[in-house]
Amino acid sequence: MKFGHTLKTSLNPEWTQYYLDYDALKTILKKKLPHQEWTEEDESDFIEKLEKDLAKVYNFQKVKLSEITSHIQEETKEVDALCEKSDPEEDEFTASEIGLSQIIADVHDLAKFTRLNYTGFLKIIKKHDKVTNWIIKPMFMARLNAKPFYKENYEALIIRISTLYDRVRTRGKERGGDSGAGGKQSAFVRNTTKYWVHPDNITELKLIILKHLPVLVFNPNKEFETQDSAITSIYYDNDDFELYMGRLEKTEGAEAIRMRWYGGMDTNTIFVERKTHHEDWTGEKSVKARFPIKEKYLNAYLKGDYTIEELFAKVKEQGTKSEKEIEDMEQLAQEIQYTVLTKRLHPMVRSFYNRTAFQLPGDARVRISLDTELCMVREDNQGVARSGDNWRRMDIGIDFPFKQLPDSDICRFPYAILEVKLQTQYGQEPPQWITELVNSHLVESVPKFSKFIHGCATLLEDKINVLPFWLPQMDVDIRKPATGALGVRRPETIQSSTTSFDSSAGGDGSKLTTTNSVQISMAEATERTPLLQQQQSHSSSSGTFHDEDEEAARVAEDAKKKSSGEFLKKLSPAGLQTVFKKSKTIFRRKRPSRPNDDNNGAGSSSAVDSARTRAVIPVAAPPAKAFFANERTFLSWLRFTLLLGALAIGLLNFSDHVGYISAIVFIGIALIIMVYALYTYHSRANSIVRKELGDFSDKYGPAILTLFMVSAISINFYREYNNM
């Protein structure tokens, strides 16, 4: 799908005039090329239009971000005042929750606005350079750095929203447990599933999760900084890649040894960790264990010069840990030191990423982490001295994207990594929202994905004989059409009289309903459909702005006017659900339900005329094997009815009067089973198309079939017995 069409179907209709005018820029290129020569005057017109669009996008993003920050501050004051009340009303908390949902929707829309425009700028520049042979990409990238709207990190906003949402969710009550839980664990057992997340879906995914789990903050008394989320690990292996092969082949007892630290390069505490894989048949779970060590002692420890007694002498003096914990850490430290020395392990690959963790403080039953900006870096000394005699290389820190490194030394992973960690000892099923999340269009399941394995396979491919299964998948676009009801949606709000949102129109934002403007029918939009409609106000005849400060002031004024209506809270009725029309026949495939399906009947024709519907987004097809399995089950039932029918025909042709009666009974049973099998086949096929999570087992069919057969045989036996 071309980007122009993607932009038309993905933009926020209320912000249409603030997007990059992709169609106009493309029209400038098409007017002369390829039939006429591209002149300096043409280049000047293109650059001027590009600069104006960049200023427009940058100013709007800056104003909206300031507006969101202001709303968060206002909501913080309201929540503080509400939590201080002795007996607050439930409706007050509900109102605050709706207000926070508004802010969440604003952050989602702004992040999507930013990414769409950034992608549009890169694509139009690439097209320009290709068709005109006038190279402007280096110059324009410098202009982008001067107006870096695409570099905005929403992590600090998300953490603030998460804190507020958690306070409202708990109705102002303090949670028990340690807010830093998870950072002090020395050994833990979890079941972990891993998924890839496309950059387009990262912010939306975070905003969805924080409605169920708060962001885990290890130091709530400290203002969030970018380096607080940084995690760096140095993985060790030998020249034979013994640990790599063990982890890749999942052999029993396979180990991974790494040195990990949190934050910047000035961190003094390093965690020495060992991950041990256990097969299911052993009855044991894979375990990660670790112990802390000061950075200044790590080299000596790895070389065997720093003894275990020296390592834990201070811990014993402090008395902060029990004797059992100290014994376990001493044993672990001794085993890791022995493995490093005997197997001649050395630094091999570094992984760096920024992690956002979601977990209830003190409750590790459900923990979700999202790792972004993932990079793998070579640490070995083959060919070039990188780490040297040190336990890590020192020419880089946490300065993503590590532009100082050559391409041969770094792999910048294109996706984020979502890990869902459930502790098995509690024996609980995962919550329903987690099941819906991992089956949604936002994630791509990649079982057993490993940063260590991927780093070795991509950076040291010439030295690796066996590659992981997911490597061919790297060239596949993992984005999928939005399905189901999962997504960030704007709650019902009181809107201004001129412009309103219908937030039920899918996961990308809202559907515009205006009284004065011409609407774009997304279902009819094509590459030739103009992206920007003629504005009846706020624009000059040329449709451009001649002063960036003027534009910023106008954008701020527009946003202020709209926000006066958008943030008035209104409690929506509890239990209100959308009613969907049922299909007239079970043999017709039913489309997956969409929140914006028309359910108003004939009496709503005027509303339909005033607001056209969005384009129908194609739904990702379910796996073909599910349909084949359904067909095989149907054919198995059909095969049985054919055998039963053949038996009945034989009785009709070669039996006496009693046989005739039995044949009629068998034929009746066969026909009933045929109809039942056909009904079940189509019912299951419809459920597969709708991607329902219900039970597909047949609870009644086999029992009824057995009852019919026993009855038929009993009747036949009874009649024959009476004729004797």
Side-chain angles (χ1 to χ4, degrees):
M1 183 183 293
K2 293 185 178 181
F3 178 75
H5 185 72
T6 301
L7 182 59
K8 292 183 186 73
T9 55
S10 302
L11 54 77
N12 184 335
E14 192 176 58
W15 299 350
T16 300
Q17 59 182 318
Y18 304 114
Y19 281 82
L20 163 72
D21 195 349
Y22 186 80
D23 281 348
L25 290 167
K26 194 166 65 171
T27 301
I28 295 175
L29 295 176
K30 286 184 175 181
K31 273 185 179 179
K32 288 199 170 186
L33 299 172
H35 306 292
Q36 300 181 34
E37 184 180 355
W38 187 259
T39 64
E40 187 172 344
E41 183 180 354
D42 298 326
E43 183 71 5
S44 177
D45 291 342
F46 184 85
I47 294 294
E48 182 181 358
K49 174 63 177 170
L50 199 64
E51 286 282 356
K52 288 176 180 177
D53 278 10
L54 176 58
K56 175 178 63 177
V57 170
Y58 173 69
N59 289 330
F60 179 76
Q61 191 257 5
K62 185 168 59 174
V63 169
K64 290 300 294 183
L65 187 62
S66 174
E67 180 184 320
I68 291 173
T69 303
S70 175
H71 289 148
I72 291 176
Q73 292 173 351
E74 293 172 6
E75 198 64 39
T76 301
K77 294 178 182 178
E78 292 184 16
V79 173
D80 288 342
L82 186 59
C83 293
E84 290 174 0
K85 287 186 177 181
S86 58
D87 188 19
E89 296 290 336
E90 181 67 21
D91 281 354
E92 293 181 285
F93 283 110
T94 306
S96 292
E97 191 168 346
I98 291 176
L100 288 171
S101 296
Q102 286 278 16
I103 297 174
I104 289 173
D106 284 341
V107 174
H108 167 261
D109 291 347
L110 186 58
K112 189 170 185 178
F113 171 87
T114 301
R115 187 147 195 93
L116 277 173
N117 282 286
Y118 180 60
T119 304
F121 279 119
L122 295 184
K123 285 188 174 292
I124 199 65
I125 290 300
K126 182 180 179 181
K127 184 183 288 291
H128 168 277
D129 291 0
K130 180 180 179 181
V131 300
T132 66
N133 291 325
W134 291 54
I135 308 302
I136 64 170
K137 183 176 180 180
M139 179 273 294
F140 189 73
M141 294 308 295
R143 295 294 299 139
L144 274 177
N145 289 330
K147 299 181 184 296
F149 70 93
Y150 63 96
K151 290 186 177 180
E152 183 60 44
N153 189 344
Y154 299 98
E155 189 69 19
L157 290 179
I158 289 174
I159 290 177
R160 292 176 64 185
I161 296 171
S162 172
T163 303
L164 289 174
Y165 206 94
D166 191 50
R167 292 180 66 189
V168 172
R169 181 168 44 223
T170 59
R171 299 304 187 248
K173 298 177 182 178
E174 292 292 333
R175 287 191 184 274
D178 181 10
S179 62
K184 299 180 180 179
Q185 301 170 11
S186 60
F188 33 93
V189 182
R190 295 193 185 110
N191 283 332
T192 303
T193 51
K194 299 183 180 181
Y195 307 85
W196 290 349
V197 182
H198 194 276
D200 291 354
N201 300 328
I202 290 175
T203 303
E204 181 176 6
L205 188 67
K206 290 180 179 179
L207 294 172
I208 290 173
I209 297 174
L210 70 80
K211 286 191 172 184
H212 302 276
L213 288 175
V215 175
L216 184 63
V217 181
F218 294 104
N219 188 358
N221 299 321
K222 176 180 176 294
E223 187 71 21
F224 174 79
E225 298 177 4
T226 304
Q227 69 173 13
D228 294 342
S229 62
I231 298 179
T232 312
S233 301
I234 309 294
Y235 289 90
Y236 275 57
D237 206 342
N238 54 28
D239 294 334
D240 297 327
F241 294 95
E242 186 177 343
L243 300 190
Y244 169 87
M245 291 302 300
R247 299 296 295 183
L248 181 63
E249 296 175 350
K250 297 296 179 184
T251 56
E252 169 57 27
E255 295 179 345
I257 293 177
R258 67 190 181 197
M259 315 298 150
R260 167 173 288 190
W261 71 95
Y262 302 87
M265 294 291 286
D266 56 346
T267 302
N268 292 322
T269 301
I270 310 297
F271 290 93
V272 181
E273 299 184 350
R274 182 183 67 185
K275 299 176 71 173
T276 307
H277 172 73
H278 291 295
E279 293 287 346
D280 292 337
W281 56 265
T282 63
E284 298 183 21
K285 295 291 184 181
S286 298
V287 177
K288 179 172 75 174
R290 65 182 183 179
F291 66 90
I293 186 174
K294 295 297 182 182
E295 194 273 335
K296 60 183 178 181
Y297 300 130
L298 187 52
N299 277 324
Y301 164 76
L302 294 173
K303 294 176 182 177
D305 299 334
Y306 194 65
T307 64
I308 307 302
E309 290 75 15
E310 294 175 304
L311 179 60
F312 293 102
K314 190 172 182 180
V315 177
K316 293 179 180 178
E317 291 177 3
Q318 293 174 342
T320 55
K321 294 187 179 295
S322 64
E323 293 185 5
K324 180 65 169 60
E325 289 177 319
I326 295 176
E327 289 177 4
D328 290 342
M329 287 194 296
E330 285 180 337
Q331 182 178 354
L332 175 65
Q334 190 170 4
E335 291 174 356
I336 292 178
Q337 188 180 58
Y338 178 79
T339 301
V340 170
L341 294 174
T342 56
K343 294 186 176 181
R344 298 184 178 181
L345 304 183
H346 56 78
M348 186 65 70
V349 170
R350 170 187 301 211
S351 71
F352 166 84
Y353 48 86
N354 286 300
R355 168 166 290 183
T356 304
F358 300 87
Q359 179 184 330
L360 294 175
D363 185 355
R365 287 175 295 178
V366 179
R367 176 185 170 94
I368 296 178
S369 63
L370 185 64
D371 300 336
T372 57
E373 299 177 344
L374 171 61
C375 294
M376 278 71 74
V377 180
R378 289 185 64 170
E379 291 277 338
D380 63 289
N381 294 315
Q382 298 180 19
V384 179
R386 296 180 178 87
S387 58
D389 294 331
N390 195 29
W391 65 276
R392 64 179 177 185
R393 62 190 299 172
M394 298 299 294
D395 57 334
I396 59 172
I398 59 171
D399 47 335
F400 176 85
F402 308 106
K403 294 181 179 180
Q404 69 271 36
L405 293 178
D407 291 340
S408 58
D409 273 17
I410 186 170
C411 169
R412 297 177 181 89
F413 197 71
Y415 306 125
I417 308 297
L418 178 74
E419 295 187 29
V420 180
K421 304 173 184 179
L422 305 173
Q423 282 199 349
T424 57
Q425 58 264 36
Y426 289 89
Q428 295 182 350
E429 292 294 324
Q432 179 66 23
W433 69 270
I434 291 182
T435 303
E436 294 176 357
L437 181 70
V438 299
N439 287 288
S440 71
H441 66 283
L442 299 174
V443 300
E444 176 73 13
S445 177
V446 188
K448 306 300 181 183
F449 175 78
S450 166
K451 303 179 182 75
F452 167 54
I453 291 175
H454 187 83
C456 291
T458 53
L459 296 173
L460 302 164
E461 186 177 0
D462 56 331
K463 300 176 177 61
I464 298 292
N465 296 323
V466 183
L467 300 176
F469 72 89
W470 61 77
L471 274 189
Q473 198 173 345
M474 296 299 299
D475 298 327
V476 179
D477 189 352
I478 65 171
R479 286 174 292 186
K480 294 171 280 190
T483 57
L486 189 69
V488 175
R489 284 173 174 75
R490 193 176 299 278
E492 293 183 7
T493 57
I494 301 174
Q495 300 292 342
S496 62
S497 59
T498 56
T499 307
S500 65
F501 277 100
D502 177 8
S503 64
S504 64
D508 66 326
S510 309
K511 181 173 68 180
L512 180 64
T513 304
T514 61
T515 55
N516 299 323
S517 63
V518 180
Q519 298 179 8
I520 298 176
S521 174
M522 296 302 180
E524 301 171 359
T526 65
E527 279 293 295
R528 298 176 182 269
T529 306
L531 174 61
L532 299 183
Q533 304 302 303
Q534 293 294 328
Q535 302 297 325
Q536 297 183 4
S537 61
H538 307 304
S539 62
S540 64
S541 59
S542 61
T544 58
F545 300 98
H546 300 285
D547 188 89
E548 293 182 11
D549 294 334
E550 253 181 56
E551 182 186 354
R554 185 183 63 76
V555 170
E557 185 179 353
D558 289 349
K560 185 176 180 181
K561 289 178 181 179
K562 291 175 182 178
S563 65
S564 63
E566 289 177 5
F567 277 81
L568 292 177
K569 301 169 186 174
K570 183 180 74 172
L571 299 183
S572 54
L576 186 62
Q577 297 184 359
T578 306
V579 179
F580 297 99
K581 292 182 179 179
K582 296 184 178 179
S583 176
K584 294 181 179 179
T585 170
I586 62 170
F587 301 108
R588 180 180 300 168
R589 290 287 178 270
K590 301 174 183 177
R591 292 176 302 154
S593 302
R594 296 195 308 274
N596 59 337
D597 282 352
D598 182 16
N599 62 346
N600 296 327
S604 62
S605 60
S606 61
V608 174
D609 292 337
S610 66
R612 297 185 180 182
T613 57
R614 285 174 49 89
V616 177
I617 300 176
V619 178
K625 62 182 181 181
F627 290 104
F628 293 152
N630 188 30
E631 290 176 5
R632 286 195 299 270
T633 305
F634 170 67
L635 292 175
S636 297
W637 281 87
L638 205 61
R639 189 180 302 113
F640 176 79
T641 61
L642 292 176
L643 292 174
L644 197 59
L647 174 62
I649 292 173
L651 290 173
L652 283 173
N653 292 328
F654 306 104
S655 185
D656 54 9
H657 178 70
V658 176
Y660 291 158
I661 297 176
S662 298
I664 292 173
V665 174
F666 285 141
I667 289 175
I669 293 174
L671 291 175
I672 292 173
I673 293 174
M674 280 185 180
V675 174
Y676 175 77
L678 186 62
Y679 171 84
T680 305
Y681 167 73
H682 283 285
S683 177
R684 286 173 174 167
N686 285 330
S687 298
I688 293 172
V689 169
R690 294 193 299 268
K691 293 188 177 180
E692 294 181 354
L693 302 177
D695 188 3
F696 285 89
S697 62
D698 193 345
K699 300 178 181 178
Y700 308 108
I704 294 174
L705 171 62
T706 303
L707 180 62
F708 280 167
M709 291 301 300
V710 170
S711 300
I713 294 172
S714 299
I715 291 172
N716 185 52
F717 179 79
Y718 175 76
R719 299 281 299 184
E720 287 288 348
Y721 180 79
N722 287 340
N723 290 340
M724 289 178 61

